[in-house]
Amino acid sequence: MSEEKRLYIEVVYALPDEQYVFKCSVTSDMNVEDIIRQSGVMEAYSDIDLDHNKVGIFSRLVKLDTLVHDGDRIEIYRPLVADPKEIRRRRAERAKLEGYADPVTGGRVNPNRKKIKFEEI
């Protein structure tokens, strides 16, 4: 009689002030969704909704029906609070207004750049 192969997996959910890590032993036929549900993380954190939260294995997005390998770390991702592109755009605009950035290029002001003076004709 052969014993079914067991895999050792971690399920991780991180919040700004704490991190939940659940180490478990699962069968090789379990997928990501089964393991997350078995881990107890959804009972510990009611804000997790697998229909909306993305999941990954070692920072790579995967589907809930993905099978895992021994030693994998399943990560449950929270939605972004702010759009990184929008934050960068606002920071660049503020730098232009405050004189820290070149108003034309948006880059750092070059103190060695020649200033061209235009004269009226």
Side-chain angles (χ1 to χ4, degrees), residues 11 37 41 52 56 88 91 95-97 99 117 120:
V11 177
R37 292 191 186 282
V41 68
H52 296 96
R88 196 245 175 254
R91 187 174 33 222
K96 285 180 190 177
L97 292 173
K117 294 182 181 179
E120 285 187 38

Side-chain angles (χ1 to χ4, degrees), residues 47-66:
D47 59 328
I48 297 175
D49 180 6
L50 293 180
D51 292 330
H52 296 96
N53 290 80
K54 294 182 179 184
V55 297
I57 297 177
F58 290 119
S59 301
R60 293 184 182 246
L61 291 178
V62 296
K63 294 182 180 180
L64 292 173
D65 61 352
T66 302

Side-chain angles (χ1 to χ4, degrees), residues 4 10 16 18 24 26 29 34 52-53 56 64 67 72 74-75 84 103-104 111 115 117-118 120:
E4 191 168 347
E10 287 184 345
E18 66 179 308
C24 57
V26 299
D29 63 337
D34 296 336
H52 296 96
N53 290 80
L64 292 173
L67 295 176
D72 279 353
I74 299 172
E75 302 160 343
V104 176
K115 296 188 181 192
K117 294 182 181 179
F118 294 98
E120 285 187 38

Side-chain angles (χ1 to χ4, degrees), residues 7 10 14 19 23 29 40-41 43 45-46 76 79 89 106 118:
L7 305 176
E10 287 184 345
Q19 181 176 345
K23 297 180 181 188
D29 63 337
V41 68
E43 288 79 27
Y45 298 97
S46 60
I76 304 169
R89 189 175 298 116
F118 294 98

